[in-house]
Amino acid sequence: MWLTDITEHPTGEGKLYLCAVKDLWSGRIVGYSIDARMKSRLAVQALNNAVTARAALGVDVAGCIVNSDRGSQFRARK
């Protein structure tokens, strides 16, 4: 099972948004994405990065459950 959420980080040049994907079993961050805008592509890229990273290690993620707060970024068609 993977958990995911988006956090906002203020910087001197504006806000940055971080979407992280955490593997509940290992407790590790397995994918993330950073962007200046909180759009669906932020969540999609984080999930894609997690899948790619796990596949590179030979881990099959088919059937993996992803739990989020069901924000609009996670419910978008993408």
Coordinates of all heavy atoms in Angstrom, one line a residue:
M1 N 0.8 -1.2 0.0 CA 0.0 0.0 0.0 C 0.9 1.2 0.0 O 1.9 1.3 0.7 CB -0.9 0.0 1.2 CG -1.8 1.3 1.3 SD -2.8 1.3 2.7 CE -4.3 0.9 1.9
W2 N 0.5 2.2 -0.8 CA 1.2 3.5 -0.9 C 0.3 4.6 -0.4 O -0.9 4.6 -0.6 CB 1.6 3.8 -2.3 CG 2.7 3.0 -2.9 CD1 3.5 2.1 -2.2 CD2 3.1 2.9 -4.2 NE1 4.4 1.5 -3.1 CE2 4.2 2.0 -4.3 CE3 2.7 3.6 -5.4 CZ2 4.8 1.8 -5.5 CZ3 3.3 3.3 -6.6 CH2 4.4 2.4 -6.7
L3 N 0.9 5.5 0.4 CA 0.2 6.7 0.8 C 0.8 7.9 0.1 O 2.0 7.9 -0.2 CB 0.4 6.9 2.3 CG 0.1 5.7 3.2 CD1 0.5 6.0 4.7 CD2 -1.3 5.3 3.1
T4 N -0.1 8.9 -0.2 CA 0.4 10.0 -0.9 C -0.3 11.3 -0.4 O -1.4 11.3 0.0 CB 0.2 9.9 -2.4 OG1 0.8 10.9 -3.1 CG2 -1.2 9.7 -2.8
D5 N 0.4 12.4 -0.5 CA -0.1 13.7 -0.1 C 0.7 14.8 -0.7 O 1.8 14.6 -1.2 CB -0.1 13.8 1.4 CG -1.1 14.9 1.9 OD1 -1.9 15.4 1.1 OD2 -1.0 15.3 3.1
I6 N 0.1 16.0 -0.8 CA 0.8 17.2 -1.3 C 1.0 18.2 -0.2 O 0.1 18.4 0.6 CB 0.0 17.8 -2.5 CG1 -0.2 16.8 -3.6 CG2 0.6 19.1 -2.9 CD1 -1.1 17.3 -4.7
T7 N 2.2 18.7 -0.1 CA 2.5 19.8 0.9 C 2.9 21.0 0.1 O 3.5 21.0 -0.9 CB 3.5 19.4 1.9 OG1 4.7 19.1 1.2 CG2 3.1 18.2 2.7
E8 N 2.7 22.2 0.8 CA 3.1 23.5 0.2 C 4.3 24.0 1.0 O 4.3 24.0 2.3 CB 1.9 24.4 0.4 CG 2.1 25.9 -0.1 CD 0.9 26.7 0.2 OE1 -0.1 26.5 -0.4 OE2 1.1 27.6 1.1
H9 N 5.3 24.5 0.3 CA 6.5 25.0 0.9 C 6.7 26.4 0.4 O 7.0 26.6 -0.8 CB 7.7 24.1 0.6 CG 7.5 22.7 1.1 ND1 7.8 22.4 2.4 CD2 7.0 21.6 0.6 CE1 7.5 21.1 2.6 NE2 7.0 20.6 1.5
P10 N 6.6 27.5 1.3 CA 6.9 28.8 0.9 C 8.4 29.0 0.7 O 9.2 28.5 1.4 CB 6.4 29.7 2.0 CG 6.4 28.8 3.2 CD 6.2 27.4 2.7
T11 N 8.8 29.7 -0.4 CA 10.2 30.0 -0.6 C 10.3 31.5 -0.9 O 9.3 32.2 -1.0 CB 10.8 29.3 -1.9 OG1 10.1 29.8 -3.0 CG2 10.5 27.8 -1.8
G12 N 11.5 32.0 -1.0 CA 11.7 33.4 -1.3 C 11.2 33.8 -2.7 O 11.0 35.0 -3.0
E13 N 11.0 32.9 -3.6 CA 10.5 33.1 -4.9 C 9.1 32.7 -5.2 O 8.6 32.7 -6.3 CB 11.4 32.4 -5.9 CG 12.9 32.9 -5.9 CD 13.8 32.2 -6.9 OE1 13.3 31.4 -7.7 OE2 15.0 32.4 -6.8
G14 N 8.4 32.3 -4.1 CA 7.0 31.9 -4.2 C 6.8 30.5 -3.6 O 7.7 30.0 -2.9
K15 N 5.7 29.9 -3.9 CA 5.4 28.6 -3.3 C 5.9 27.5 -4.2 O 5.8 27.6 -5.4 CB 3.9 28.5 -3.1 CG 3.3 29.5 -2.1 CD 1.8 29.3 -2.0 CE 1.2 30.4 -1.1 NZ -0.2 30.3 -1.0
L16 N 6.3 26.4 -3.5 CA 6.6 25.1 -4.2 C 5.7 24.1 -3.6 O 5.4 24.1 -2.4 CB 8.0 24.7 -4.0 CG 9.1 25.4 -4.9 CD1 10.5 24.8 -4.6 CD2 8.7 25.1 -6.4
Y17 N 5.2 23.1 -4.4 CA 4.4 22.0 -4.0 C 5.1 20.7 -4.2 O 5.7 20.5 -5.2 CB 3.1 22.0 -4.8 CG 2.3 23.3 -4.5 CD1 2.4 24.4 -5.4 CD2 1.5 23.4 -3.4 CE1 1.7 25.5 -5.2 CE2 0.8 24.6 -3.2 CZ 0.9 25.6 -4.1 OH 0.2 26.8 -3.9
L18 N 5.1 19.9 -3.2 CA 5.7 18.6 -3.2 C 4.7 17.5 -3.0 O 3.9 17.6 -2.1 CB 6.7 18.5 -2.0 CG 7.3 17.1 -1.7 CD1 8.2 16.6 -2.8 CD2 8.0 17.1 -0.4
C19 N 4.7 16.6 -3.9 CA 3.8 15.4 -3.8 C 4.7 14.2 -3.6 O 5.6 14.0 -4.4 CB 3.0 15.2 -5.1 SG 1.9 13.8 -4.9
A20 N 4.5 13.5 -2.5 CA 5.3 12.4 -2.1 C 4.5 11.1 -2.1 O 3.3 11.2 -1.7 CB 6.0 12.6 -0.8
V21 N 5.1 10.0 -2.4 CA 4.5 8.7 -2.4 C 5.3 7.8 -1.4 O 6.5 7.6 -1.6 CB 4.4 8.0 -3.8 CG1 3.8 6.6 -3.7 CG2 3.7 8.9 -4.8
K22 N 4.6 7.4 -0.4 CA 5.3 6.6 0.7 C 4.9 5.1 0.7 O 3.7 4.9 0.6 CB 5.1 7.2 2.1 CG 5.8 6.5 3.2 CD 5.5 7.2 4.5 CE 6.3 6.6 5.6 NZ 6.1 7.4 6.9
D23 N 5.8 4.2 0.7 CA 5.5 2.8 0.8 C 5.2 2.5 2.2 O 6.1 2.7 3.1 CB 6.7 2.0 0.2 CG 6.4 0.5 0.2 OD1 5.8 0.0 1.2 OD2 6.7 -0.1 -0.8
L24 N 4.0 2.1 2.5 CA 3.6 1.8 3.9 C 4.4 0.6 4.5 O 4.8 0.7 5.7 CB 2.1 1.5 4.0 CG 1.5 1.5 5.4 CD1 1.7 2.8 6.1 CD2 0.0 1.2 5.3
W25 N 4.8 -0.4 3.7 CA 5.5 -1.5 4.3 C 6.9 -1.2 4.7 O 7.4 -1.5 5.7 CB 5.5 -2.6 3.2 CG 6.2 -3.9 3.7 CD1 5.6 -4.8 4.5 CD2 7.5 -4.3 3.5 NE1 6.6 -5.8 4.8 CE2 7.8 -5.5 4.2 CE3 8.6 -3.7 2.7 CZ2 9.0 -6.1 4.1 CZ3 9.8 -4.4 2.7 CH2 10.0 -5.6 3.4
S26 N 7.6 -0.5 3.8 CA 9.0 -0.1 4.1 C 9.2 1.2 4.8 O 10.2 1.4 5.4 CB 9.9 -0.1 2.8 OG 9.5 1.1 2.0
G27 N 8.2 2.0 4.7 CA 8.3 3.4 5.4 C 9.1 4.3 4.6 O 9.4 5.4 5.0
R28 N 9.5 4.0 3.3 CA 10.3 4.8 2.5 C 9.5 5.6 1.5 O 8.4 5.2 1.0 CB 11.3 4.0 1.7 CG 12.3 3.3 2.6 CD 13.3 2.5 1.8 NE 14.2 1.9 2.7 CZ 15.3 1.3 2.3 NH1 15.5 1.1 1.0 NH2 16.1 0.7 3.1
I29 N 10.0 6.8 1.1 CA 9.4 7.6 0.0 C 9.9 6.9 -1.3 O 11.1 6.8 -1.5 CB 9.9 9.0 0.1 CG1 9.5 9.7 1.4 CG2 9.4 9.8 -1.2 CD1 8.0 9.8 1.6
V30 N 9.0 6.4 -2.1 CA 9.3 5.7 -3.3 C 9.2 6.5 -4.6 O 9.6 6.1 -5.7 CB 8.5 4.4 -3.4 CG1 8.9 3.4 -2.3 CG2 7.0 4.6 -3.4
G31 N 8.6 7.7 -4.5 CA 8.4 8.6 -5.6 C 8.0 10.0 -5.1 O 7.4 10.1 -4.1
Y32 N 8.4 11.0 -5.9 CA 7.9 12.3 -5.5 C 8.0 13.2 -6.8 O 8.6 12.9 -7.8 CB 8.8 12.9 -4.4 CG 10.2 13.2 -4.8 CD1 10.6 14.5 -5.3 CD2 11.2 12.2 -4.7 CE1 11.9 14.7 -5.7 CE2 12.5 12.5 -5.1 CZ 12.9 13.7 -5.6 OH 14.1 14.0 -6.0
S33 N 7.4 14.4 -6.6 CA 7.4 15.4 -7.7 C 7.3 16.8 -7.1 O 6.6 16.9 -6.0 CB 6.2 15.1 -8.6 OG 6.1 16.1 -9.7
I34 N 8.0 17.7 -7.7 CA 7.9 19.1 -7.2 C 7.5 20.0 -8.3 O 8.0 19.9 -9.4 CB 9.3 19.5 -6.6 CG1 9.7 18.6 -5.5 CG2 9.4 21.0 -6.2 CD1 11.2 18.8 -5.0
D35 N 6.7 21.0 -8.0 CA 6.2 21.9 -9.1 C 5.8 23.2 -8.4 O 5.5 23.3 -7.2 CB 5.1 21.3 -9.9 CG 4.9 21.9 -11.2 OD1 5.1 23.1 -11.4 OD2 4.5 21.2 -12.2
A36 N 5.8 24.3 -9.2 CA 5.3 25.6 -8.7 C 3.8 25.7 -8.7 O 3.3 26.6 -8.2 CB 5.9 26.7 -9.6
R37 N 3.1 24.7 -9.4 CA 1.7 24.8 -9.4 C 1.1 23.4 -8.9 O 1.7 22.4 -9.2 CB 1.2 25.0 -10.8 CG 1.7 26.4 -11.3 CD 1.2 26.7 -12.7 NE -0.2 26.9 -12.7 CZ -1.0 27.1 -13.7 NH1 -0.4 27.0 -14.9 NH2 -2.3 27.3 -13.6
M38 N 0.0 23.5 -8.2 CA -0.6 22.3 -7.7 C -1.7 21.8 -8.6 O -2.9 22.0 -8.4 CB -1.2 22.6 -6.3 CG -1.6 21.3 -5.6 SD -2.1 21.4 -3.8 CE -2.8 23.0 -3.6
K39 N -1.2 21.2 -9.7 CA -2.1 20.6 -10.7 C -2.1 19.1 -10.6 O -1.3 18.5 -9.9 CB -1.7 21.1 -12.1 CG -1.7 22.6 -12.3 CD -3.1 23.0 -12.7 CE -3.2 24.3 -13.3 NZ -4.5 24.6 -13.8
S40 N -2.9 18.5 -11.4 CA -3.0 17.0 -11.4 C -1.7 16.4 -11.9 O -1.3 15.3 -11.5 CB -4.1 16.5 -12.3 OG -4.0 16.9 -13.6
R41 N -0.9 17.1 -12.8 CA 0.3 16.6 -13.3 C 1.3 16.3 -12.1 O 2.2 15.5 -12.2 CB 0.9 17.4 -14.3 CG 1.4 18.8 -13.9 CD 2.1 19.6 -15.0 NE 2.4 20.9 -14.5 CZ 1.9 22.0 -14.9 NH1 1.0 22.0 -15.9 NH2 2.2 23.2 -14.4
L42 N 1.2 17.1 -11.0 CA 2.1 16.9 -9.9 C 1.9 15.5 -9.3 O 2.8 14.8 -9.0 CB 1.8 18.0 -8.8 CG 2.6 18.0 -7.5 CD1 4.0 18.4 -7.8 CD2 1.9 18.9 -6.5
A43 N 0.6 15.1 -9.1 CA 0.3 13.8 -8.5 C 0.6 12.7 -9.5 O 1.2 11.7 -9.2 CB -1.2 13.7 -8.2
V44 N 0.3 12.9 -10.8 CA 0.6 11.9 -11.8 C 2.1 11.6 -11.9 O 2.6 10.5 -12.0 CB 0.0 12.3 -13.2 CG1 0.5 11.4 -14.3 CG2 -1.5 12.4 -13.1
Q45 N 2.9 12.7 -11.9 CA 4.4 12.5 -12.1 C 4.9 11.8 -10.8 O 5.8 11.0 -11.0 CB 5.0 13.9 -12.2 CG 6.5 13.8 -12.6 CD 6.8 13.1 -13.9 OE1 6.1 13.3 -14.9 NE2 7.7 12.1 -13.9
A46 N 4.4 12.1 -9.6 CA 4.9 11.4 -8.4 C 4.6 10.0 -8.5 O 5.5 9.1 -8.2 CB 4.3 12.1 -7.2
L47 N 3.4 9.6 -8.9 CA 3.0 8.2 -9.0 C 3.8 7.5 -10.1 O 4.3 6.4 -9.9 CB 1.5 8.1 -9.3 CG 0.7 8.4 -8.1 CD1 -0.8 8.5 -8.5 CD2 0.8 7.3 -7.0
N48 N 4.0 8.2 -11.3 CA 4.9 7.6 -12.3 C 6.3 7.4 -11.9 O 6.9 6.4 -12.2 CB 4.9 8.5 -13.6 CG 3.6 8.4 -14.4 OD1 2.9 7.4 -14.2 ND2 3.3 9.4 -15.2
N49 N 6.8 8.3 -11.1 CA 8.2 8.2 -10.6 C 8.3 7.0 -9.6 O 9.3 6.3 -9.6 CB 8.7 9.5 -9.9 CG 8.9 10.6 -10.8 OD1 9.1 10.4 -12.0 ND2 9.0 11.8 -10.3
A50 N 7.3 6.8 -8.8 CA 7.3 5.7 -7.9 C 7.2 4.3 -8.6 O 8.0 3.4 -8.3 CB 6.1 5.8 -6.9
V51 N 6.4 4.3 -9.6 CA 6.3 3.0 -10.4 C 7.6 2.7 -11.1 O 8.1 1.6 -11.1 CB 5.1 3.1 -11.4 CG1 5.1 2.0 -12.4 CG2 3.8 3.2 -10.7
T52 N 8.2 3.8 -11.7 CA 9.4 3.6 -12.4 C 10.6 3.1 -11.5 O 11.3 2.2 -11.8 CB 9.8 4.9 -13.1 OG1 8.8 5.3 -14.1 CG2 11.1 4.8 -13.9
A53 N 10.6 3.8 -10.3 CA 11.7 3.4 -9.3 C 11.5 2.0 -8.8 O 12.5 1.3 -8.7 CB 11.6 4.4 -8.2
R54 N 10.3 1.6 -8.6 CA 10.1 0.2 -8.1 C 10.3 -0.8 -9.2 O 10.9 -1.9 -8.9 CB 8.6 0.0 -7.6 CG 8.3 0.9 -6.4 CD 8.8 0.2 -5.1 NE 10.0 0.9 -4.7 CZ 10.7 0.5 -3.7 NH1 10.4 -0.5 -2.9 NH2 11.8 1.1 -3.3
A55 N 10.0 -0.5 -10.5 CA 10.2 -1.4 -11.6 C 11.7 -1.6 -11.8 O 12.2 -2.6 -12.1 CB 9.5 -0.9 -12.8
A56 N 12.5 -0.5 -11.6 CA 14.0 -0.6 -11.8 C 14.6 -1.5 -10.7 O 15.6 -2.1 -11.0 CB 14.6 0.8 -11.6
L57 N 13.9 -1.7 -9.6 CA 14.4 -2.6 -8.6 C 13.8 -4.0 -8.8 O 14.0 -4.9 -7.9 CB 14.0 -2.1 -7.2 CG 14.7 -0.8 -6.8 CD1 14.1 -0.3 -5.5 CD2 16.2 -1.0 -6.7
G58 N 13.0 -4.2 -9.8 CA 12.4 -5.5 -10.1 C 11.1 -5.8 -9.2 O 10.7 -6.9 -9.1
V59 N 10.5 -4.8 -8.6 CA 9.3 -4.9 -7.8 C 8.1 -4.8 -8.7 O 8.0 -3.8 -9.4 CB 9.3 -3.9 -6.7 CG1 8.0 -4.0 -5.9 CG2 10.5 -4.0 -5.8
D60 N 7.2 -5.7 -8.6 CA 6.0 -5.7 -9.4 C 4.9 -4.9 -8.5 O 4.6 -5.3 -7.4 CB 5.4 -7.1 -9.6 CG 4.2 -7.1 -10.5 OD1 3.8 -6.1 -11.1 OD2 3.5 -8.1 -10.5
V61 N 4.4 -3.8 -9.1 CA 3.5 -3.0 -8.4 C 2.0 -3.2 -8.8 O 1.1 -2.5 -8.3 CB 3.8 -1.4 -8.5 CG1 5.2 -1.2 -7.9 CG2 3.8 -1.0 -9.9
A62 N 1.8 -4.2 -9.6 CA 0.5 -4.5 -10.0 C -0.4 -4.9 -8.8 O 0.0 -5.6 -8.0 CB 0.5 -5.7 -11.0
G63 N -1.5 -4.3 -8.7 CA -2.4 -4.5 -7.6 C -2.1 -3.7 -6.3 O -2.8 -3.8 -5.3
C64 N -1.1 -2.8 -6.4 CA -0.8 -1.9 -5.3 C -1.9 -1.0 -5.0 O -2.4 -0.4 -6.0 CB 0.5 -1.2 -5.6 SG 1.0 -0.1 -4.2
I65 N -2.3 -0.8 -3.8 CA -3.3 0.2 -3.4 C -2.7 1.5 -3.1 O -1.7 1.6 -2.4 CB -4.1 -0.3 -2.2 CG1 -4.8 -1.7 -2.6 CG2 -5.1 0.7 -1.7 CD1 -5.4 -2.4 -1.4
V66 N -3.3 2.6 -3.7 CA -2.8 4.0 -3.4 C -3.9 4.7 -2.6 O -5.0 4.8 -3.1 CB -2.5 4.7 -4.7 CG1 -2.0 6.1 -4.4 CG2 -1.4 4.0 -5.5
N67 N -3.5 5.2 -1.5 CA -4.4 6.0 -0.6 C -4.0 7.4 -0.6 O -2.9 7.8 -0.3 CB -4.4 5.4 0.8 CG -5.5 6.0 1.7 OD1 -6.4 6.6 1.2 ND2 -5.3 5.8 3.0
S68 N -5.0 8.3 -0.9 CA -4.8 9.7 -0.8 C -5.9 10.4 -0.1 O -6.9 9.8 0.2 CB -4.6 10.3 -2.2 OG -5.9 10.4 -2.9
D69 N -5.9 11.7 0.0 CA -6.9 12.5 0.6 C -8.1 12.7 -0.4 O -9.0 13.5 -0.1 CB -6.4 13.8 1.2 CG -5.9 14.7 0.2 OD1 -5.9 14.4 -1.0 OD2 -5.4 15.8 0.6
R70 N -8.0 12.2 -1.6 CA -9.0 12.3 -2.6 C -9.2 13.8 -3.1 O -10.2 14.2 -3.5 CB -10.3 11.8 -2.2 CG -10.3 10.2 -2.0 CD -11.6 9.7 -1.7 NE -12.7 10.2 -2.5 CZ -13.4 9.6 -3.4 NH1 -13.1 8.3 -3.6 NH2 -14.4 10.1 -4.0
G71 N -8.1 14.6 -3.0 CA -8.1 15.9 -3.5 C -8.3 15.9 -5.0 O -8.2 14.9 -5.7
S72 N -8.6 17.1 -5.6 CA -8.9 17.1 -7.0 C -7.7 16.7 -7.9 O -7.9 16.1 -9.0 CB -9.3 18.6 -7.4 OG -8.2 19.5 -7.2
Q73 N -6.5 16.9 -7.4 CA -5.3 16.4 -8.2 C -5.3 14.9 -8.3 O -4.8 14.4 -9.3 CB -4.0 16.9 -7.5 CG -3.9 18.3 -7.4 CD -4.6 18.9 -6.2 OE1 -5.1 18.2 -5.3 NE2 -4.7 20.2 -6.1
F74 N -5.8 14.2 -7.4 CA -5.8 12.7 -7.4 C -7.1 12.2 -8.1 O -7.1 11.0 -8.4 CB -5.7 12.2 -6.0 CG -4.4 12.6 -5.3 CD1 -4.4 13.6 -4.3 CD2 -3.2 11.9 -5.6 CE1 -3.2 13.9 -3.7 CE2 -2.0 12.3 -5.0 CZ -2.0 13.3 -4.1
R75 N -8.1 13.0 -8.2 CA -9.3 12.5 -8.9 C -9.4 12.9 -10.3 O -10.4 12.6 -11.0 CB -10.5 13.0 -8.1 CG -10.6 12.4 -6.7 CD -11.9 12.9 -6.0 NE -11.7 14.3 -5.6 CZ -12.5 15.3 -5.9 NH1 -13.6 15.0 -6.6 NH2 -12.3 16.5 -5.5
A76 N -8.5 13.6 -10.8 CA -8.5 14.1 -12.2 C -8.4 13.0 -13.2 O -8.0 11.9 -12.8 CB -7.4 15.1 -12.5
R77 N -8.9 13.2 -14.4 CA -8.8 12.1 -15.4 C -7.4 11.6 -15.7 O -7.3 10.4 -16.1 CB -9.4 12.6 -16.7 CG -10.9 12.8 -16.6 CD -11.5 13.3 -18.0 NE -12.9 13.5 -17.8 CZ -13.8 13.0 -18.6 NH1 -13.4 12.2 -19.6 NH2 -15.0 13.2 -18.4
K78 N -6.4 12.4 -15.6 CA -5.1 12.0 -15.8 C -4.7 10.9 -14.9 O -3.9 10.1 -15.2 CB -4.1 13.2 -15.7 CG -4.3 14.2 -16.8 CD -3.2 15.3 -16.5 CE -3.4 16.4 -17.6 NZ -2.4 17.4 -17.5

